[in-house]
Amino acid sequence: MSFNREFLERSISRLTNYKQLTENAMRQLTDVQLFETPAAGSNSIAIIIQHVAGNMLSRWTDFLETDGEKPWRNRDQEFESLSVTREALMTQWAEGWRVLLETLSGLSEKDLEKDIQIRGESLKVYDAIIRQLMHYSYHVGQIVFLAKWLAAAGWVSLSIPKNGSESYNRKLGI
């Protein structure tokens, strides 16, 4: 397998893991918690989800042909309070991920060296992928942190639980 093919496959795998991590965190919350703003000036999980979905749709639609910041995107509106259901929010989320994953899956190894634009900045495709991996992981961290805080004592760890490293390592034979 070439490095470029492996890079694409690992990027898709990492992104898919971020998607699952986020969804597992959100499953632990009530609808009210999903839309709760923890403090003035901060964002609810729902708003972060709306922003990430909007970003994905803008960045990955016609990825190789048009600037990643589409004229139809209203980024500022993504950070406004929502009056949607959990189901509608999850539909937005799923659509953003569909566009992202289909675009990445459709790239060829040669595409990684092409130049694309995001807000007028020229980037190699591989760099644009790394840029978005970083952006999405940042927001996934926010979502998981907020979900853990909101779920409080009801939180079920999504990774190795606190004080669980020794047990986890034993299971792996380490």
Side-chain angles (χ1 to χ4, degrees):
M1 180 182 310
S2 75
F3 172 77
N4 287 345
R5 174 58 37 205
E6 187 171 350
F7 173 78
L8 281 170
E9 289 177 7
R10 288 182 185 249
S11 296
I12 292 167
S13 175
R14 296 288 182 200
L15 286 159
T16 301
N17 287 340
Y18 290 146
K19 178 181 184 290
Q20 291 169 347
L21 182 66
T22 304
E23 290 169 1
N24 289 338
M26 290 190 298
R27 275 188 203 96
Q28 297 189 46
L29 301 176
T30 65
D31 289 358
V32 170
Q33 290 171 321
L34 190 63
F35 291 87
E36 187 175 328
T37 302
S42 63
N43 296 313
S44 68
I45 289 173
I47 286 176
I48 298 168
I49 292 296
Q50 182 172 267
H51 164 63
V52 171
N55 176 278
M56 288 176 173
L57 290 172
S58 183
R59 294 295 183 265
W60 301 102
T61 299
D62 301 323
F63 176 67
L64 295 174
E65 293 84 32
T66 62
D67 191 289
E69 189 63 20
K70 304 297 185 281
W72 44 259
R73 181 182 185 205
N74 186 340
R75 184 183 179 279
D76 292 337
Q77 190 175 20
E78 295 167 9
F79 292 96
E80 293 179 12
S81 294
L82 305 169
S83 59
V84 299
T85 64
R86 180 186 199 115
E87 292 74 26
L89 184 68
M90 296 313 294
T91 298
Q92 277 185 300
W93 173 254
E95 180 61 10
W97 280 100
R98 183 193 65 74
V99 171
L100 162 62
L101 295 172
E102 283 182 7
T103 299
L104 286 182
S105 295
L107 293 176
S108 71
E109 293 180 44
K110 289 181 183 180
D111 288 333
L112 290 175
E113 294 296 329
K114 291 181 178 177
D115 292 311
I116 59 107
Q117 300 282 314
I118 298 178
R119 290 193 169 151
E121 178 185 356
S122 182
L123 299 163
K124 294 290 184 191
V125 167
Y126 67 83
D127 193 28
I129 293 169
I130 293 168
R131 181 180 195 252
Q132 294 310 118
L133 274 162
M134 300 300 291
H135 183 233
Y136 303 144
S137 65
Y138 169 79
H139 288 304
V140 168
Q142 290 177 318
I143 291 165
V144 171
F145 177 81
L146 283 172
K148 184 175 182 179
W149 177 73
L150 289 163
W155 179 255
V156 177
S157 178
L158 301 174
S159 63
I160 303 168
K162 190 174 184 177
N163 297 318
S165 295
E166 187 177 322
S167 173
Y168 182 82
N169 289 344
R170 230 184 348 264
K171 286 179 189 174
L172 294 178
I174 298 174

